[in-house]
Amino acid sequence: MAENNSAIRSAAVIGAGTMGRGIAYLLALNGIRTVLYNRNGNNLNQARDYIVSDLDRKIDNGKITLQKKGQILANIIFSDVFDAITDSDLVIETIAEDEQTKHEILAAIAATVKPEAIIATNTSSLSLNKLAAGVENNPRFIGLHFFNPAPLMKLIEIIPSYFTSRATSLRCQQLVTALGKQFVVCKATPGFIVNRMARPFYLEGFRLLEENVALAPQIDRALKAGGHFRMGPLELTDFIGQDINYQVSKQIWQDMQFDPRYTPGHLQRSLVDAGLLGRKNGRSFFASQPATPPNPTTEGDTPTSLHFYGEHALFDHLQQRALATWPALRVQRLPERPELGRFILVNNRLAIKITDGRTANLLAGLTALDTFVIDAALNYADTAYLVAAHNQHATETNKALFLTLLQTLIAQVEFIKDSPALIVARVLSSLINESVIMVESGVCSRADIDIAAVAGVNYADGIFAWLAQLGQKNVKSTLDNMAQLLHSTRYYPHYSLLNAARPELAVAP
């Protein structure tokens, strides 16, 4: 095996499809002499045309010179001769996700390259350890999972198998850094970090739709406004392709021994069966979703008194806006109540509570008042859209009063079905729980989770930052109530969330 600090100066990429050509292009952009191999000459021509076209766009945009284009192209050898990979320091296979075919190509690579060459797979779904077992001299075998488009995406997952040597892993870490990318290191487990960590985002989006909690535009909009996601889960699966997203979910579910946390939705499967794949074939189920229903009019009573039980940033913002709107308003701050926690009492006739997973109907039984539950938001001060629910027999007058108060701070508040944890709190809590489980299982570190969240799936913040912001106690309560009301095993909080003394999980109250 080569020395740990030896640089990768030459590489080969097996397969000239979307991922293969992107990886080869990335390597060439960074001065690494690269062979792009494909036995089909047409695929090689298409890959060359793609790369040349992108370089021409860079010239037109003033990002590179014509001379630089020539240098980059000189770094790539497009070849249909397998022996062209012989002298490579690194070979990355990117062929179709078929286990037998990958075993065959990996064996051929191992028999062709020099003994110290690193052999990598870009698989996203197959067992890395099973692939490694069939590779001769497998301490040099590793997973390098790139994301599409490889030249633009900021993250590369590094996945050592049981057999991978430390030297191989370190050389790959040095390579990723030299490529200007960030890396995370994880065990060879289903979905690695990104695909497994992000699964609740997609799964809960479809579960909310299947449970008739809200319409697709409401689900997406709530998560973008309150959770700061760039796209909602339903529009994002349309963008990715419903077939691709469903297949990844199904594979992880199977590989995780059919754990109910990963069970794919029947609605997404039916979309795939119907050929409603989204943007890739111009057929989207969600494009025909009806507009959201109008809320009741907000004309009517105005707040005359507000009693805030407990402390929350929302309470401070709402008090400030309410007093600016109604200067004569009577305001009182009181300790939270044990059975209810933090809530707001309005005009001594209705209660408002940020969701803790309990429904408005359940809480109304404790308050003996019309009760309104509002969704979580990472920053209520900049949230323009929020969903809420009310108990079954709430009066129209109280609905109007609730909206009048909330809309002093949040431009649009919409009522949806009274359901556990509503939308944002349900999705964020599920993402947090999955990430905690991964860290506690030794799949990766907390730092890896947060890097993957920001650089891999473009979340606005790391998942453990959400845990700190929402509060461990609140996340645990939300999950507990979801487990009780929705699914006992799917949402049950990991035991480490019960122990706030753990320094790696402890957060400020």
Side-chain angles (χ1 to χ4, degrees):
M1 181 63 63
E3 293 298 319
N4 293 2
N5 61 357
S6 59
I8 302 295
R9 294 183 174 85
S10 61
V13 178
I14 308 299
T18 300
M19 287 306 306
R21 73 188 185 191
I23 295 168
Y25 186 22
L26 170 65
L27 295 168
L29 284 168
N30 287 275
I32 296 174
R33 183 175 58 82
T34 304
V35 173
L36 179 59
Y37 166 80
N38 198 291
R39 63 184 180 183
N40 185 320
N42 287 335
N43 289 351
L44 288 172
N45 291 334
Q46 291 171 8
R48 182 188 291 108
D49 291 344
Y50 163 80
I51 292 171
V52 169
S53 177
D54 193 73
L55 289 171
D56 287 339
R57 279 194 295 270
K58 284 181 168 58
I59 292 173
D60 292 341
N61 294 332
K63 294 181 178 180
I64 63 170
T65 63
L66 185 61
Q67 181 182 10
K68 183 64 176 177
K69 171 188 172 182
Q71 293 171 350
I72 294 168
L73 287 175
N75 287 331
I76 307 179
I77 299 170
F78 300 88
S79 179
D80 59 1
V81 178
F82 193 74
D83 284 348
I85 74 171
T86 301
D87 294 327
S88 303
D89 296 329
L90 165 70
V91 180
I92 306 169
E93 71 79 13
T94 69
I95 65 173
E97 295 286 87
D98 177 78
E99 185 177 295
Q100 182 58 38
T101 306
K102 280 190 185 288
H103 275 300
E104 292 171 1
I105 197 69
L106 289 170
I109 293 168
T112 303
V113 298
K114 53 194 177 184
E116 67 271 21
I118 295 173
I119 301 173
T121 177
N122 187 56
T123 186
S124 60
S125 62
L126 299 179
S127 168
L128 202 81
N129 287 314
K130 193 170 183 180
L131 293 176
V135 175
E136 183 183 355
N137 186 15
N138 53 20
R140 60 179 171 165
F141 179 75
I142 197 166
L144 288 178
H145 185 215
F146 295 76
F147 296 88
N148 187 38
L152 298 181
M153 295 300 286
K154 302 174 184 177
L155 185 75
I156 299 173
E157 291 180 312
I158 298 176
I159 311 100
S161 75
Y162 288 137
F163 311 99
T164 304
S165 71
R166 178 170 171 78
T168 297
S169 184
L170 288 175
R171 288 186 74 192
C172 289
Q173 292 175 35
Q174 292 161 2
L175 168 67
V176 173
T177 301
L179 294 175
K181 306 294 183 181
Q182 290 181 278
F183 66 82
V184 290
V185 180
C186 67
K187 285 184 177 178
T189 55
F192 308 141
I193 297 180
V194 170
N195 277 328
R196 179 174 165 188
M197 174 203 71
R199 232 13 53 194
F201 183 64
Y202 308 111
L203 295 176
E204 294 305 321
F206 274 99
R207 286 168 187 155
L208 286 161
L209 203 57
E210 289 168 3
E211 294 166 20
N212 198 33
V213 171
L215 299 172
Q218 291 173 311
I219 295 168
D220 285 337
R221 188 177 180 190
L223 285 161
K224 288 187 288 186
H228 296 171
F229 294 97
R230 289 173 173 81
M231 296 179 75
L234 303 173
E235 60 182 341
L236 183 53
T237 54
D238 251 10
F239 180 80
I240 294 168
Q242 298 297 345
D243 54 341
I244 295 171
N245 186 264
Y246 175 75
Q247 180 57 40
V248 173
S249 293
K250 182 180 177 182
Q251 187 68 55
I252 292 174
W253 176 52
Q254 292 173 345
D255 291 345
M256 295 299 288
Q257 303 300 306
F258 304 101
D259 187 318
R261 290 205 314 276
Y262 310 105
T263 305
H266 60 80
L267 173 58
Q268 190 176 31
R269 185 191 64 220
S270 72
L271 298 184
V272 175
D273 291 344
L276 297 171
L277 306 183
R279 185 175 298 189
K280 67 188 295 181
N281 70 347
R283 300 183 66 201
S284 169
F285 172 76
F286 305 113
S288 60
Q289 288 282 306
T292 56
N295 273 325
T297 176
T298 59
E299 294 179 2
D301 292 351
T302 59
T304 56
S305 68
L306 295 178
H307 293 78
F308 294 94
Y309 291 86
E311 299 294 329
H312 194 280
L314 170 66
F315 296 180
D316 300 332
H317 296 310
L318 199 56
Q319 176 178 323
Q320 182 181 7
R321 293 294 183 88
L323 284 172
T325 307
W326 304 287
L329 184 66
R330 298 189 304 277
V331 175
Q332 191 171 5
R333 305 298 289 250
L334 301 162
E336 64 181 70
R337 290 185 180 176
E339 74 280 12
L340 288 171
R342 299 175 292 196
F343 73 103
I344 308 168
L345 181 62
V346 184
N347 291 6
N348 290 313
R349 76 180 203 217
L350 68 88
I352 302 173
K353 181 165 176 59
I354 300 170
T355 182
D356 63 1
R358 291 181 286 183
T359 63
N361 273 319
L362 192 157
L363 291 166
L366 300 175
T367 65
L369 298 168
D370 280 352
T371 301
F372 296 77
V373 173
I374 63 176
D375 205 357
L378 294 175
N379 185 354
Y380 286 99
D382 70 4
T383 300
Y385 178 79
L386 190 72
V387 297
H390 52 75
N391 59 295
Q392 185 177 0
H393 300 296
T395 67
E396 295 301 318
T397 302
N398 281 342
K399 293 177 192 177
L401 176 58
F402 165 81
L403 292 172
T404 296
L405 174 61
L406 263 291
Q407 287 174 347
T408 62
L409 178 64
I410 298 167
Q412 186 174 8
V413 181
E414 286 189 333
F415 291 129
I416 62 171
K417 180 180 177 180
D418 182 24
S419 62
L422 301 180
I423 296 173
V424 178
R426 177 169 171 170
V427 171
L428 292 184
S429 296
S430 298
L431 285 164
I432 289 169
N433 200 38
E434 185 62 33
S435 294
V436 169
I437 290 168
M438 291 173 68
V439 171
E440 290 293 318
S441 301
V443 171
C444 57
S445 69
R446 279 185 54 168
D448 286 330
I449 287 282
D450 284 342
I451 290 170
V454 176
V457 282
N458 290 318
Y459 294 167
D461 211 338
I463 288 181
F464 284 93
W466 295 341
L467 177 59
Q469 187 168 353
L470 296 175
Q472 181 167 310
K473 176 183 176 182
N474 298 326
V475 171
K476 177 192 174 296
S477 296
T478 300
L479 289 165
D480 274 334
N481 288 313
M482 289 166 63
Q484 181 180 345
L485 298 172
L486 287 171
H487 196 293
S488 58
T489 56
R490 180 174 292 154
Y491 300 107
Y492 194 78
H494 188 270
Y495 64 81
S496 63
L497 285 171
L498 311 180
N499 183 3
R502 293 281 305 269
E504 66 269 29
L505 290 177
V507 295

